[in-house]
Amino acid sequence: MLQDALGRRFYYLRLSITDVCNFRCQYCLPDGYQGRPDAAFLNLSEIRQTLRAFAALGTEKVRLTGGEPSLRPDLPDIIETAVNTPGIRQVAVTSNGYKLPQRIDYWHRAGLQQLNLSIDSLDAEQFHEITGHDRLAEVLTGLDRALELGINTKVNALLMRGLDNQLSRFLEWLKHTPVTLRFIEVMQTGDQAVFFRQHHLSGQGVKQRLLDDGWQPILRARDAGPAEEFWHPDYAGRIGLIMPYSPDFCSSCNRLRVSSTGKLHLCLFTEQGLDLRPWLQPEVATEALQARLIELIQHKAPTHLLHQGDSGATSNLSIIGG
Ligand code: SAM
Ligand code: SF4
């Protein structure tokens, strides 16, 4: 079992499969992707090796993220590989929903169980302004299809100061839409200190409003993500809040990250990734990678230092996935 020096156990792996993204979200890649699209991202065999080692050490859930994971043509093969890894019970993808209506059936056939779609606003103009793409209708059509296929679908929305009616529009929508909407507090990264200062909004105010309106807390599963979730008898959907600035946020950390170039990130906000690639080659036994992971996990810090404005070497979240 992967367990760190503080006794935290890691059931959940977020695996980035590409840095490349075609959106220009204001808080992430406002100038678009600036890296090398032909960088050597992990291939299918390296991904298989990574998943086997993590699963052998107790990982039960894998999220494929990026960048934009759907830009990898072999995404269905990657999903299938994850689904067929012994020990992995749940496979999820986080996506911006680009061309989702054309793609979701392939992902479903490959065995996808959970989809997280990033939709920061239900207002088409606001969505366009935030992402640089006028594609809200397309993303919502894809979301409907995912629900039709029975995929457990969640929506991620960044909680942002200055977005008129963001909460009220989502609340209205959740009355009849059976998804979990997760509001995420904007986190400071190296590239966007100014955006962060102007737009960060604490989730605590939203939480209080939900509690006042009769929303009730739901208990977390051990492989659950970091959200505090709520339900309400009058709503088809649920609401989650991800508040990385809350005291104690890191004490229940159950997840690790591997970047698209095979670096282990013990936290979203570390100074450096720890190279796993030499251990991902076909001639290296999975046990050697497991031993490396057990050794590295002991160095996981108790908490991130975001409160001190220190986001480590993370210039934006497209590098290692949110
Ligand atoms: N491109 C995919 C997408 O947008 O869903 C996957 C990668 S994206 C980095 C994963 C998640 O991180 C998205 O939900 C996005 O909104 C979130 N994210 C990006 N930058 C963030 C920031 N500075 N603070 C909080 N969440 C952020
Ligand atoms: Fe791309 Fe996702 Fe970042 Fe938006 S949040 S720019 S979709 S990686």
Side-chain angles (χ1 to χ4, degrees), residues 60 66 70 82 147:
E60 298 172 350
S70 65
L147 292 176

Side-chain angles (χ1 to χ4, degrees), residues 1-4 10 49-50 53-54 56-57 256-258 261-266 272-281 284-300:
M1 182 77 225
L2 274 178
Q3 182 168 322
D4 72 1
F10 299 92
Q49 179 87 331
T50 305
F54 272 90
L57 292 171
L256 292 168
R257 295 176 166 83
V258 172
T261 53
K263 299 230 164 43
L264 174 71
H265 288 258
L266 297 172
Q272 56 173 354
L274 308 160
D275 198 12
L276 299 179
R277 215 147 193 185
W279 286 265
L280 299 182
Q281 304 317 310
V284 180
T286 312
E287 289 74 21
L289 175 56
Q290 290 174 35
R292 169 93 173 137
L293 291 172
I294 289 170
E295 177 199 326
L296 293 175
I297 192 77
Q298 302 313 319
H299 302 291
K300 184 170 163 78

